[in-house]
Amino acid sequence: MYSDPKECIYCTKHEAREAIMLPICDLSVSKAFLFKEQTYHGRCLVAYKDHVNDLNELTDDERNAFMADVAKVTRAMQKLFKPEKINYGAYSDKLSHLHFHLAPKYVDGPDYGGTFQMNPGKVYLSDKEYQDMIDALRKEILG
């Protein structure tokens, strides 16, 4: 299923996106977001800057730049939140815009050893807590 860029939550300022995630920063070829639902403490998302359906549509250089952006975000997440592992999810079944979900997993945390849930709807933070996380991530990502 290909989505229309004019209706894409990553290509436009979209209330559906604003309801579930907050912008962290722009990267070389992508945008980083913090998920509002924080069952997986520190969960982020990286979306490619242009409306492409799949990783295989990128040139080698574009793909390498995108994966470097993903790695930059996960390094920041690892340093700040110290998860045991970060799970990567790139599903795009219903929204065909290249993006990776980055879900930190903790040994004694939810779904450790299994697949993370897309939106468990259990853990939400205060505006200040979100802003503190965004500020820390932005500082770590951008240097």
Side-chain angles (χ1 to χ4, degrees):
M1 170 192 286
Y2 288 92
S3 59
D4 183 343
K6 291 182 243 76
E7 297 176 10
C8 176
I9 69 170
Y10 299 108
C11 293
T12 63
K13 185 173 178 166
H14 201 284
E15 66 183 44
R17 183 187 73 211
E18 293 174 359
I20 61 171
M21 64 187 91
L22 301 162
I24 298 170
C25 61
D26 289 344
L27 297 161
S28 67
V29 296
S30 59
K31 296 177 181 192
F33 298 92
L34 178 71
F35 250 67
K36 286 185 179 179
E37 205 293 328
Q38 283 288 302
T39 291
Y40 311 101
H41 180 70
R43 182 175 175 184
C44 294
L45 181 140
V46 176
Y48 193 69
K49 66 179 175 109
D50 296 326
H51 193 75
V52 297
N53 183 51
D54 197 274
L55 195 60
N56 66 26
E57 294 176 12
L58 301 178
T59 67
D60 289 349
D61 289 341
E62 291 167 336
R63 182 203 60 236
N64 292 343
F66 177 66
M67 295 310 294
D69 284 353
V70 170
K72 188 178 278 195
V73 174
T74 57
R75 283 188 195 108
M77 293 167 63
Q78 190 70 48
K79 183 174 181 183
L80 293 169
F81 309 121
K82 300 179 180 15
E84 180 71 21
K85 182 74 173 105
I86 296 174
N87 287 184
Y88 299 75
Y91 306 111
S92 301
D93 294 348
K94 294 184 180 181
L95 174 60
S96 59
H97 184 114
L98 176 60
H99 64 283
F100 274 38
H101 294 265
L102 309 173
K105 300 291 272 307
Y106 304 88
V107 173
D108 295 325
D111 304 310
Y112 187 78
T115 306
F116 66 90
Q117 298 174 56
M118 286 303 293
N119 189 1
K122 298 176 185 173
V123 179
Y124 292 92
L125 309 177
S126 69
D127 289 345
K128 182 181 180 337
E129 289 171 312
Y130 289 128
Q131 194 57 56
D132 288 348
M133 289 177 80
I134 289 167
D135 292 345
L137 284 160
R138 186 179 297 128
K139 181 178 178 185
E140 195 61 40
I141 292 166
L142 300 177

